[in-house]
Amino acid sequence: MSYSTADLSRPVTLDDVRGAQKMLSGVARMTAMEGSRHLSQLVGAPVHFKCENLQRTGSFKLRGAYVRIAGLLPEQRAAGVVAASAGNHAQGVALASSLLGVTSTVFMPKGAPLPKISATQEYGAEVRLHGQVVDETLAAAQEYARETGAVFIHPFDHPDVIAGQGTVGLEILEQCPEVRTIVVGVGGGGLAAGIAVAVKEVRPEVRIVGVQAEGAAAYPPSLAAGRPLSLAQPVTMADGIRVGRPGDVPFGIVGDLVDEVRTVTEDQLSAALLLCLERAKLVVEPAGASPVAALLAEPGSFEGPVVAVLSGGNVDPVLMQGVLRHGMAAQGRYLAVRLRLTDRPGALATLLGVLSAVDANVLDVSHVRTDPRLGLTEAEVELHLETKGPEHCVEVGHALRDAGYTVMR
């Protein structure tokens, strides 16, 4: 990627980001930088987490929202603002508006997590639910802006927003001056673009790696085509980066300054979220865990020291429960088995004794006795077990077969 400090055509400059940092003084926190021993061992170099999940409102979004709204003219503030978001930008706009005394209306997808809706309302915004994905919600908010005169605050496609998000990059350089690689999740591209602008002029050798969810990866084909392309239907649990089209403003910056954009699978996102919770004791949403997922997927491909930006921690408890189960299953820590046994008193107790002997924890048991495939004295049993990993799963299977059971799954 190329970068010239003399390129005055760039919509966001380092001076813009520095100005945003002054504006955010006393508003946004300088979030913690935490080391990860586990990832450092995998990568073979120091790995640090930039904990924007601990930012006010639970994500980096407050930074860009505040800078954008603070820059409005008095008559624009009087008309109020409107935004669209799956949750993090919504909360950022709501709090920024409240701090600045501006009325805010926020459109959110109908499937937005209830905690994010409630938090947005508590920060002072009126919430309206519309559409199934952020792109549909964006269209509704823009129509509202046209009808009412409210100023539309885009979540990523505006220079002021990008400058605000870029303050994360300035903090990284201050907290980890020896950084060689910054890994950041990418949805519309505002955060990656802002960090790249802040970092590349000061430290052009620092590698910026963007990460997208495989089912919502609009940037790789767009970068290949040289223009923003739209995905028909982005699908991922990572609602914070479930964006169907790159923003026009960040796209040019990402294409020029971000060195690479990778993709990660849902299994990798689940494993990353679980690692953050278990090893780092950090609650991180799937979008925020995407840089960790990339590090887990190919740890040997990153030059350290590495900073992974944990962009947000606003995760729906219901989703968290499902993601944790999914992550544990992906790591071989859940095992589902189905087998047949003789339908007589004590048969289940004998089976459970075999499982107890190999230290497998039974989470759920279900019986089937009426299936026509079963013999007159047979019953089918399905068990869901908590195990200690892939090797333990193999050990459980061997123990069941050695005890004379035919494992069907």
Side-chain angles (χ1 to χ4, degrees):
M1 300 295 172
S2 61
Y3 182 76
S4 170
T5 57
D7 186 358
L8 301 179
S9 66
R10 195 177 310 286
V12 183
T13 67
L14 178 59
D15 285 342
D16 294 328
V17 180
R18 286 173 172 161
Q21 188 175 47
K22 292 179 181 178
M23 188 179 295
L24 288 167
S25 177
V27 176
R29 302 185 182 114
M30 176 182 280
T31 51
M33 185 83 75
E34 299 286 345
S36 171
R37 181 182 302 175
H38 179 72
L39 283 176
S40 296
Q41 290 174 342
L42 288 178
V43 173
V47 175
H48 306 280
F49 293 149
K50 175 59 173 167
C51 299
E52 282 296 289
N53 58 311
L54 303 180
Q55 183 57 260
R56 295 179 69 179
T57 73
S59 89
F60 71 97
K61 289 288 190 177
L62 171 65
R63 298 172 183 264
Y66 188 91
V67 173
R68 173 75 172 101
I69 297 170
L72 297 178
L73 298 172
E75 57 269 27
Q76 292 176 310
R77 292 194 190 190
V81 300
V82 60
S85 167
N88 288 341
H89 179 62
Q91 294 175 65
V93 168
L95 178 56
S97 299
S98 295
L99 293 173
L100 292 164
V102 177
T103 301
S104 61
T105 302
V106 175
F107 284 75
M108 303 179 75
K110 292 180 179 178
L114 290 177
K116 293 187 178 183
I117 295 172
S118 298
T120 303
Q121 292 170 328
E122 290 172 8
Y123 285 128
E126 177 190 350
V127 173
R128 301 191 180 193
L129 302 180
H130 183 92
Q132 300 299 325
V133 296
V134 173
D135 300 271
E136 296 172 354
T137 310
L138 278 171
Q142 289 168 330
E143 178 62 26
Y144 177 88
R146 286 190 290 269
E147 292 175 352
T148 65
V151 178
F152 177 64
I153 308 300
H154 201 286
F156 50 81
D157 206 9
H158 192 279
D160 289 348
V161 172
I162 294 170
Q165 320 305 29
T167 59
V168 175
L170 294 181
E171 291 180 13
I172 290 172
L173 292 179
E174 181 178 343
Q175 294 171 298
C176 185
E178 68 279 12
V179 63
R180 297 292 299 180
T181 306
I182 297 173
V183 192
V184 56
V186 178
L191 178 60
I195 289 175
V197 168
V199 171
K200 284 291 188 176
E201 183 169 336
V202 181
R203 292 278 308 283
E205 76 280 7
V206 173
R207 186 171 179 80
I208 311 290
V209 178
V211 183
Q212 291 207 288
E214 194 174 67
Y219 261 93
S222 296
L223 291 171
R227 68 184 190 282
L229 300 177
S230 297
L231 298 178
Q233 182 135 10
V235 178
T236 175
M237 72 175 82
D239 60 327
I241 54 174
R242 190 170 58 221
V243 178
R245 183 183 184 277
D248 291 325
V249 179
F251 177 76
I253 299 172
V254 169
D256 191 24
L257 301 182
V258 173
D259 297 277
E260 180 185 1
V261 177
R262 302 186 180 192
T263 63
V264 292
T265 66
E266 299 298 284
D267 283 349
Q268 290 164 344
L269 286 169
S270 297
L273 189 149
L274 187 61
L275 181 143
C276 289
L277 187 63
E278 286 192 327
R279 297 299 184 96
K281 307 300 183 281
L282 291 169
V283 176
V284 182
E285 61 189 273
S290 58
V292 178
L295 289 169
L296 289 173
E298 295 184 68
S301 63
F302 295 90
E303 181 183 0
V306 178
V307 173
V309 181
L310 307 183
S311 57
N314 293 314
V315 58
D316 181 7
V318 175
L319 175 64
M320 171 70 87
Q321 186 179 36
V323 169
L324 290 178
R325 284 199 303 265
H326 188 80
M328 291 180 73
Q331 291 185 3
R333 292 168 60 182
Y334 282 140
L335 178 64
V337 295
R338 192 173 80 247
L339 46 83
R340 291 181 184 178
L341 44 74
T342 303
D343 190 10
R344 59 176 174 75
L348 181 59
T350 302
L351 171 61
L352 296 179
V354 173
L355 295 172
S356 176
V358 291
D359 203 23
N361 185 34
V362 178
L363 300 175
D364 186 52
V365 179
S366 61
H367 282 81
V368 175
R369 292 186 173 89
T370 58
D371 194 308
R373 295 173 301 168
L374 297 173
L376 184 63
T377 61
E378 285 184 322
E380 189 172 278
V381 176
E382 182 168 352
L383 304 104
H384 292 96
L385 310 173
E386 182 181 2
T387 58
K388 300 174 183 178
E391 292 181 1
H392 192 207
C393 289
V394 173
E395 181 185 352
V396 170
H398 286 324
L400 290 171
R401 292 182 179 90
D402 291 346
Y405 295 103
T406 300
V407 179
M408 303 166 65
R409 182 175 70 211

